[in-house]
Amino acid sequence: MIIEIFFFIVNIQSSCRRFSHCKDCNETECTECKPNFGFNLQLETKTYGECMACYDDYCDDCGDNYKICNQCREGYGLEFRSDSDTPICSPCNDPKCVICKPIHTYCVQCEKYYGLDTDSNSETYGNCLPCQDSNCKECSSDY
């Protein structure tokens, strides 16, 4: 039984090799691209339906459409610009911010020795501030 399952999995994986950068497929098409790749949905191109590298170099997940990023790499967040139909990955606004998501202006995790100001009445709300205790290596919210 275990051997049959193993060969079934190996057969599925090897059958997807005919589709470039494909993680999962059926008999006729790729159904899921590998990480950092997404589908080309432009009908007028030769590569329609194929997995393409995410359009934005700082994008980690563009699974449904290679031109639209769903999640940026660490240190980057989505930025929506008025001159573009699709968001781009921009560095987190706060240089001490390690993870900002879903957008580049919203920090959720700061570097070591820094904590996130979660007081919505504060002028520094949402920013990473040095830990109040100088002996502290990791401070979380309210630093």
Side-chain angles (χ1 to χ4, degrees), residues 12-72:
I12 288 174
Q13 290 174 343
S14 63
S15 69
C16 291
R17 287 186 186 156
R18 67 177 182 245
F19 303 111
S20 184
H21 308 291
C22 185
K23 180 180 177 183
D24 198 13
C25 65
N26 59 31
E27 301 81 35
T28 59
E29 64 186 1
C30 180
T31 56
E32 183 181 355
C33 297
K34 290 181 177 178
N36 300 52
F37 289 86
F39 290 108
N40 178 1
L41 301 178
Q42 295 178 294
L43 291 170
E44 66 280 357
T45 62
K46 290 180 184 178
T47 56
Y48 172 75
E50 293 181 19
C51 296
M52 309 280 289
C54 295
Y55 190 72
D56 191 312
D57 291 336
Y58 300 102
C59 183
D60 266 350
D61 173 25
C62 63
D64 295 333
N65 183 340
Y66 85 103
K67 286 196 168 190
I68 300 175
C69 187
N70 300 320
Q71 183 175 332
C72 301

Side-chain angles (χ1 to χ4, degrees), residues 55-113:
Y55 190 72
D56 191 312
D57 291 336
Y58 300 102
C59 183
D60 266 350
D61 173 25
C62 63
D64 295 333
N65 183 340
Y66 85 103
K67 286 196 168 190
I68 300 175
C69 187
N70 300 320
Q71 183 175 332
C72 301
R73 291 186 182 162
E74 192 172 286
Y76 291 80
L78 293 174
E79 179 180 0
F80 297 86
R81 295 185 172 181
S82 59
D83 63 341
S84 176
D85 293 341
T86 60
I88 62 167
C89 293
S90 291
C92 299
N93 268 9
D94 189 324
K96 300 297 181 187
C97 183
V98 177
I99 299 174
C100 56
K101 61 180 178 181
I103 59 175
H104 75 292
T105 57
Y106 188 77
C107 186
V108 293
Q109 184 179 338
C110 301
E111 288 182 0
K112 280 186 179 180
Y113 308 106

